[in-house]
Amino acid sequence: MTTNLQAYQDYLIKEKNYSLLTVNAYLNDVLSFQEFLKINHESVALEEVVYPLIRSWIVLLVENKISNKSVNRKISSLKSYYKFLLRIKQIDVNPLLKHKSLKIPKKVQIPFSEREIENVFEVNQFSKDFEGIRNQLIIELFYTTGMRRAELINLKLSSIDFSNQTLKVLGKRNKERIIPLLLCTKSLLKEYLIVRLEKVKPSFSDVLILSKTGNKISESFVYRLINDYFSSVSLKVKKSPHVLRHSFATHLLNNGADLNSVKELLGHASLSSTQIYTHSSLNELKKVYQESHPRNQK
């Protein structure tokens, strides 16, 4: 690894506070482009690149059937690296300054219905031991707060404020937000904290959600848990924490919540991010409209 790449890795870890998984993903994308240069433009170093060379890499990726979404991710990693080089004065101009991302067709995410959510709690008889209460709490937190998977995994004991009935969540770019808790969620949290005592390890003493061995849970564990529980009540192809977050937003909108409030609860920086959740509420609105308008009764 070159000196600049090593410095970039340190920057991502120490200053950006990215996880090792994210850091490795960024570095692998940059190294992939470096390999392309080595094969096709051997005399050109990463620091000497001009946009046409990057463009030729993009063309190659597309020709190799790499999806637009994956190409955009790779270019985003590369753009981040060149921003870093600009910052440390290793280059004068970011070669990706005027690059426009490839278009990605929007996929309509289908949320769980309110009935499917209810069925998860009715069909699955959660045991009253540590794992049963913890699993129920994970599903409950996703559906009643709309938090992201990484946000749930990184919750601390200090995140809970029982007196104000709120939860402090650390979102993207280390942005904090306060989410109100329902009484049922507050009650389940208290129940969980009692059984959690038997699993606590000193190294993870402030981590809220623990594995059965007392360690911090992983993203793959959370994904499998949601998929397993919802497989018994839903035929939807995708059953993930994000679908639960989507369901949270959609059900709030269906029941009269305004878009700005949902935006704040989700931790979105702009309304445009929240608007992707409105298609389902619009469908519900159309249904109510068709069934209720007097002109349609004739």
Side-chain angles (χ1 to χ4, degrees):
M1 192 183 292
T2 65
T3 304
N4 283 337
L5 276 171
Q6 184 62 59
Y8 178 58
Q9 182 182 47
D10 293 340
Y11 165 73
L12 294 178
I13 294 171
K14 295 173 183 176
E15 292 194 41
K16 300 294 283 184
N17 293 318
Y18 287 167
S19 69
L20 286 177
L21 196 67
T22 301
V23 171
N24 287 335
Y26 273 63
L27 286 174
N28 286 337
D29 289 336
V30 177
L31 290 170
S32 176
F33 178 60
Q34 187 179 49
E35 185 64 22
F36 164 80
L37 289 177
K38 186 178 177 182
I39 294 170
N40 298 279
H41 307 277
E42 193 174 352
S43 61
V44 180
L46 278 170
E47 294 77 13
E48 302 166 343
V49 162
V50 290
Y51 183 68
L53 290 180
I54 300 173
R55 184 68 190 169
S56 62
W57 185 47
I58 293 172
V59 170
L60 181 65
L61 291 172
V62 172
E63 286 176 350
N64 287 335
K65 309 296 182 187
I66 305 298
S67 71
N68 284 8
K69 183 177 180 181
S70 294
V71 172
N72 285 345
R73 191 208 69 230
K74 289 176 183 293
I75 299 304
S76 177
S77 299
L78 204 57
K79 196 171 191 176
S80 169
Y81 177 62
Y82 283 119
K83 279 183 179 177
F84 171 73
L85 290 183
L86 199 62
R87 181 181 177 183
I88 62 172
K89 301 188 181 339
Q90 291 296 302
I91 59 173
D92 296 322
V93 179
N94 186 335
L96 279 160
L97 187 63
K98 295 184 179 179
H99 171 76
K100 291 184 179 178
S101 299
L102 302 183
K103 288 185 178 180
I104 301 172
K106 288 186 178 179
K107 288 185 178 178
V108 175
Q109 291 255 2
I110 303 174
F112 297 119
S113 66
E114 291 184 38
R115 182 68 254 174
E116 284 174 325
I117 301 284
E118 289 171 14
N119 284 344
V120 164
F121 294 105
E122 290 175 5
V123 171
N124 297 289
Q125 297 300 312
F126 293 96
S127 58
K128 288 301 178 182
D129 58 7
F130 170 78
E131 287 186 70
I133 296 172
R134 179 206 57 197
N135 293 355
Q136 184 178 354
L137 178 64
I138 289 173
I139 297 171
E140 181 86 24
L141 283 171
F142 276 134
Y143 182 56
T144 61
T145 70
M147 70 176 64
R148 301 176 179 93
R149 176 169 50 176
E151 292 171 346
L152 179 135
I153 289 170
N154 291 311
L155 286 173
K156 309 290 185 186
L157 289 177
S158 53
S159 304
I160 311 167
D161 183 344
F162 282 121
S163 60
N164 288 313
Q165 208 168 303
T166 59
L167 201 59
K168 183 167 65 178
V169 172
L170 190 63
K172 289 184 176 180
R173 293 172 289 278
N174 290 329
K175 186 179 177 183
E176 286 186 353
R177 70 182 186 281
I178 305 296
I179 304 177
L181 290 173
L182 298 180
L183 278 172
C184 58
T185 311
K186 177 182 174 182
S187 175
L188 189 57
L189 262 170
K190 287 186 173 181
E191 197 176 344
Y192 167 74
L193 289 177
I194 295 170
V195 295
R196 177 187 172 280
L197 290 172
E198 66 191 58
K199 301 291 180 183
V200 181
K201 284 186 175 181
S203 54
F204 295 101
S205 59
D206 193 38
V207 175
L208 178 60
I209 310 293
L210 299 174
S211 70
K212 63 181 179 182
T213 56
N215 296 308
K216 189 177 182 180
I217 56 174
S218 66
E219 291 200 357
S220 57
F221 168 82
V222 176
Y223 183 91
R224 286 196 306 272
L225 184 144
I226 298 302
N227 188 72
D228 289 347
Y229 275 99
F230 279 86
S231 289
S232 63
V233 300
S234 176
L235 296 175
K236 289 181 174 62
V237 175
K238 191 168 184 182
K239 297 175 278 286
S240 68
H242 186 72
V243 176
L244 260 180
R245 176 172 161 86
H246 191 147
S247 306
F248 163 83
T250 302
H251 297 171
L252 281 178
L253 291 166
N254 283 348
N255 286 282
D258 68 274
L259 202 59
N260 266 310
S261 298
V262 175
K263 166 187 167 290
E264 293 301 318
L265 289 167
L266 291 171
H268 283 159
S270 66
L271 270 179
S272 60
S273 300
T274 315
Q275 284 168 339
I276 63 171
Y277 298 105
T278 61
H279 76 274
S280 299
S281 56
L282 180 58
N283 289 337
E284 184 70 19
L285 188 61
K286 284 178 180 176
K287 181 182 172 186
V288 172
Y289 174 70
Q290 293 290 343
E291 290 175 354
S292 307
H293 199 284
R295 291 289 293 168
N296 205 38
Q297 312 302 317
K298 295 181 180 179

